[in-house]
Structure formats: C-alpha cells, structure tokens
C-alpha cells in the first residue's frame, strides 16, 4: 500500500531553517520563521503564562477528557476577547481546536459539508496552509488581488473588483489584523466597503485572526473582525492563541461560527462538535486552560496585556528603525511602507533573485517572495539588514 504514496514537495521554510543552521557566518540573520523573538533571539514564555501554569500545576486534580468542543470557559473567554459584545452571544457556536490551523481545517470541513459547491476566495498572497488544506479537501479556490507590489500596500480596487465575483454560498477568506503575510492591512473605511460587497453578493466571510494585540492594541486590532461579524448574517472566525499568548507548541485555537439567528445555534454547535469527534475527538486542553485562567483573572490579564504591549511596541520600534536606516542609506522614502505595515511580517516586494543575493552575500535568510519576520531583528541587526537590502539593489 505505502508504495502508492506520492512524495510531497519539501517545505520551503523548513529548508530555509536548515540552511540557516548550517551557515557558519556570525552575522547571519533569520527572518524566515514565523515566531516572535525578543532582542536576545528567544521566543519567551510570557510571565502570565508561567504564573497560570504554576497555579494549574498546584490546583488541577484530573487530566480527564473535557467536552468535544473543549472547555466552555475557554470559548466564552475567547469570544469576549475577539468579539466583545459586538454579536449576540446566543448566536455564536464555538469549538476549541489544535491551533489556528486546526480551526481553519474544521472551518473548511464545515464549508464543504454545508455546501459542497462552495468556492473559497483566497487572497494573493495568503498563507500556504490555507491553499494546501483547501486543495486536499478538493474545495475550489478563487484568487483575489490583495498586495500591490509597487506601493507595497493593499491593491484595494483590485481586491473589491475580484470579491464582487463571489456568489451566494461562496466563502471569502479574510485576514484579521496583522495576519496577511505581506504586513499590509486594510483600514476601517476599507473594511466597511468589503462588508458592503459581502452583503451585496451574499458570500459568507471567514476571518483568520492570530495576531490580535500585535498591531495597534487589543481592542483596536479586533475592530475589523467585530465590524464584519456584526454586519453579516453568518460568519466563521478561526482564532489562534499561539502568537499573542506565546503558546505555540500547546496548539491552542478556536473556531467560532455565527449563525443567522439563535434558533440555528444548536444545529451549528452540534455540527462543530461532530467535526471535532471525527477528526480528533477532544481538543487539547492545557493551553486553552492556561489562556482561560489568564483572561478570567484580572491580575493575570493585566500582566499579559502589559507584556503583549511591550512586544507590540518593540516591533513598531524595529519597523521605524529599519525604515529610518533605509531612508538614510537610500536617500529616499521608498521604504516608508515598513513603518506603516503592522504585525510581525513585511513583504519587501522584491524578486527571488535578489532575496538569494542577500542570502549568499550577506547571510540574510528570508522567504523567496521577500516576506520577512520583523521580530527576527534587534537594534544591532537592523543596520546589517538595511545595508544588505541596499547593496543587493532592492
């Protein structure tokens, strides 16, 4: 049987990580991996997470299963964090998942189950796991324009034109704050126009959000998601705690499904429970339990929010430093977009050939499409990167 399996393409980011590890140069910089790193190059355990885990270790007296949808307390805490009071709680079904990717997988499964003919509109670019899972499930995808390679901002006119091709029953996969791998984000006025198109076409939005708190603040970063969710009849939201709680390896995510009315909530919740049962029965609980404790305890929540704000400001500082250094070296403002982007990532908008030049000549490791992880920098490495970008002719 196994001889019938086909070799799958190698993961480009894993190959990049391996090449970085094997590079002997002391000045090498890793901008490829999508995890937050502090100035020392470490992905730390947040203070509130450590404190919550200590409490959990002392207080937890059972490792028995939780429900198929996970702990209801986790669902309530995450719905409050992401949606606030923007949507009536009695219309929201939710289920814990193994990370944000698990939430996306369950969402795509439910889309296919509810409407086998549904098309999913995905941005260019989007994250590889979106395309990979949709392809594996044989769900038709339609690409919509997003990134303008000339301005390094959003091609908003192209985006709207493409989204207007959606039909009732289709799904539009949207990126929450800081989530698009380019670092370019819509403003609130543009989000309102997207909502108008969704209402006009009857397409259902699905929002993937994993970086709440990394852009302009916890509530500010939730504005767009809350706007969309409160404006349309139905909505799917895949949320991850990996980044803003730093619990990457705990695989802590949630899928929320907003029904048109409270009468459909039971059916929707039962469907989420069923999908969890088919795929992994019970979702992981440790990370979800820790997140719930933090969000429900005022002192832990305040400390978590304070540390998250430190992370946010550090990345903004690195963006401004890099944009300023590039302005000094180039004598132009053409890299100003780096300070305007938000979150961990920015896309330089250059060619794979010049990305390779930076790797070979300057030991700068970034993905071939020129996406780079700003959190992979520190104050010392910013000038090194800036010089490499100018010397390579970007």
């Amino acid at each position: 049987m196994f001889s019938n399996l086909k070799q799958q393409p190698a993961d480009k980011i894993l190959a990049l990580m391996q090449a970085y590890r094997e590079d002997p140069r002391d000045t090498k910089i890793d901008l490829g991996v999508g995890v937050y790193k502090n100035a020392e190059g470490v992905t730390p355990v947040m203070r509130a997470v450590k404190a919550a885990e200590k409490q959990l270790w002392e207080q937890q007296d059972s490792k028995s299963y939780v429900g198929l949808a996970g702990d209801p307390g986790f669902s309530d805490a995450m719905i409050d964090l992401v949606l606030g009071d923007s949507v009536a709680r009695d219309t929201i079904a939710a289920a814990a998942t193994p990370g944000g990717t698990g939430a996306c997988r369950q969402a795509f499964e439910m889309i296919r189950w509810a409407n086998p003919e549904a098309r999913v509109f995905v941005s260019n670019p989007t994250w590889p796991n979106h395309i990979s899972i949709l392809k594996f499930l044989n769900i038709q995808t339609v690409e919509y324009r997003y990134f303008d390679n000339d301005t390094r901002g959003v091609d908003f006119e192209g985006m709207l034109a493409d989204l207007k091709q959606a039909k009732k029953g289709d799904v539009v996969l949207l990126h929450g704050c800081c989530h698009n791998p380019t670092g370019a984000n819509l403003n609130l006025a543009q989000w309102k126009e997207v909502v108008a198109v969704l209402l006009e076409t009857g397409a259902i939005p699905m929002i993937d959000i994993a970086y709440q708190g990394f852009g302009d603040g916890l509530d500010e970063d939730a504005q767009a998601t809350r706007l969309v969710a409160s404006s349309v009849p139905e909505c799917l939201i895949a949320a991850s705690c990996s980044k803003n709680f730093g619990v990457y390896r705990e695989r802590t995510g949630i899928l929320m499904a907003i029904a048109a009315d409270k009468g459909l909530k039971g059916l929707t919740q039962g469907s989420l429970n069923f999908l969890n049962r088919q795929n992994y029965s019970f979702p992981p609980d440790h990370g979800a339990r820790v997140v719930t404790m933090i969000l429900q305890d005022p002192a832990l929540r305040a400390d978590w929010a304070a540390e998250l704000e430190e992370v946010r400001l550090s990345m903004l500082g690195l963006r401004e430093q890099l944009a300023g250094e590039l302005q000094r070296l180039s004598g132009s403002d053409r890299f100003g977009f780096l300070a305007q982007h938000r979150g961990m990532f920015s896309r330089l908008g250059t060619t794979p050939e010049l990305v390779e030049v930076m790797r070979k000549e300057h030991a700068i490791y970034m993905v071939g499409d020129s996406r780079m992880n700003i959190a992979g920098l520190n104050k010392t490495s910013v000038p090194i990167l800036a010089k490499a970008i100018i010397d390579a002719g970007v």
Side-chain angles (χ1 to χ4, degrees):
M1 184 199 317
F2 295 159
S3 62
N4 295 324
L5 297 174
K6 295 180 180 179
Q7 187 70 40
Q8 300 302 308
D11 188 292
K12 294 180 181 179
I13 294 181
L14 293 180
L16 191 71
M17 290 168 57
Q18 183 63 31
Y20 173 81
R21 284 192 292 266
E22 294 173 355
D23 192 325
R25 289 174 285 185
D26 294 335
T27 56
K28 63 184 180 180
I29 302 174
D30 177 14
L31 303 177
V33 182
V35 297
Y36 171 76
K37 297 179 182 179
N38 61 20
E40 290 72 44
V42 174
T43 302
V45 179
M46 298 182 81
R47 297 186 300 263
V49 170
K50 274 188 173 292
E53 286 187 313
K54 184 177 180 180
Q55 288 183 26
L56 186 62
W57 180 79
E58 292 172 342
Q59 298 171 5
Q60 192 173 54
D61 55 13
S62 176
K63 291 288 186 181
S64 183
Y65 292 124
V66 291
L68 287 173
D71 177 22
F74 175 63
S75 294
D76 289 339
M78 286 300 295
I79 289 169
D80 179 69
L81 179 68
V82 176
L83 292 173
D85 58 2
S86 63
V87 178
R89 182 66 181 87
D90 60 6
T91 64
I92 308 171
T97 60
T101 297
C104 287
R105 173 63 185 252
Q106 298 297 71
F108 296 151
E109 292 266 18
M110 192 159 83
I111 290 165
R112 184 178 65 169
W113 191 20
N115 179 14
E117 304 303 316
R119 301 177 299 169
V120 176
F121 282 63
V122 294
S123 63
N124 179 18
T126 191
W127 292 102
N129 59 342
H130 290 154
I131 303 297
S132 176
I133 297 171
L134 288 164
K135 183 178 179 181
F136 186 80
L137 293 174
N138 291 316
I139 295 175
Q140 183 182 352
T141 60
V142 181
E143 189 177 274
Y144 65 86
R145 283 168 282 181
Y146 187 87
F147 188 67
D148 186 324
N149 221 50
D150 294 327
T151 66
R152 273 74 161 182
V154 177
D155 178 5
F156 190 59
E157 288 186 8
M159 178 182 180
L160 285 187
D162 291 344
L163 292 185
K164 287 178 180 178
Q165 305 308 308
K167 300 175 182 178
K168 186 175 182 179
D170 288 336
V171 174
V172 175
L173 177 55
L174 298 163
H175 294 263
C177 60
C178 311
H179 198 278
N180 190 274
T182 63
N185 289 283
L186 301 177
N187 60 41
L188 200 58
Q190 290 172 325
W191 275 108
K192 290 178 180 178
E193 292 191 56
V194 170
V195 166
V197 171
L198 292 169
L199 292 172
E200 178 186 338
T201 61
I204 298 170
M206 172 182 163
I207 301 172
D208 193 359
I209 180 169
Y211 298 93
Q212 186 179 349
F214 274 36
D216 295 305
L218 278 166
D219 284 329
E220 293 86 346
D221 289 352
Q223 277 187 322
T225 299
R226 292 172 183 176
L227 171 69
V228 174
S230 62
S231 302
V232 298
E234 295 180 323
C235 182
L236 291 164
I237 300 171
S240 169
C241 301
S242 294
K243 282 77 175 177
N244 53 4
F245 287 88
V247 288
Y248 295 90
R249 67 178 63 173
E250 303 299 348
R251 310 312 300 135
T252 306
I254 188 168
L255 174 61
M256 307 173 200
I258 301 170
D261 59 67
K262 63 182 181 181
L264 286 172
K265 181 193 171 182
L267 174 63
T268 308
Q269 185 65 60
S271 298
L272 293 180
N273 294 358
F274 177 82
L275 286 172
N276 269 15
R277 182 62 166 166
Q278 305 317 300
N279 282 327
Y280 41 76
S281 286
F282 302 96
D285 180 67
H286 181 79
R289 188 77 50 176
V290 167
V291 167
T292 305
M293 292 171 68
I294 292 170
L295 291 177
Q296 290 181 344
D297 182 288
L300 288 176
R301 184 169 184 147
D303 190 35
W304 164 72
E307 187 170 2
L308 183 59
E309 182 69 358
E310 293 168 12
V311 168
R312 184 183 77 84
L313 292 176
S314 73
M315 288 189 291
L316 283 178
L318 290 169
R319 287 186 173 283
E320 291 168 359
Q321 183 189 357
L322 180 58
E325 187 69 12
L326 285 165
Q327 182 185 43
R328 184 184 70 80
L329 293 175
S330 68
S332 77
D333 293 325
R334 72 178 191 271
F335 294 101
F337 67 90
L338 290 168
Q340 296 167 3
H341 286 177
R342 287 293 183 268
M344 286 207 313
F345 303 102
S346 270
R347 186 167 174 173
L348 278 176
T350 190
T351 64
E353 290 76 19
L354 291 185
V355 169
E356 182 64 13
V357 168
M358 286 189 280
R359 187 189 68 81
K360 284 186 175 180
E361 297 184 6
H362 301 277
I364 306 296
Y365 285 80
M366 66 178 72
V367 182
D369 66 2
S370 74
R371 172 178 66 82
M372 56 182 182
N373 181 2
I374 297 295
L377 294 167
N378 57 41
K379 292 180 178 179
T380 302
S381 60
V382 164
I384 297 172
L385 173 61
K387 185 177 185 302
I389 289 172
I390 297 302
D391 288 353
V394 176

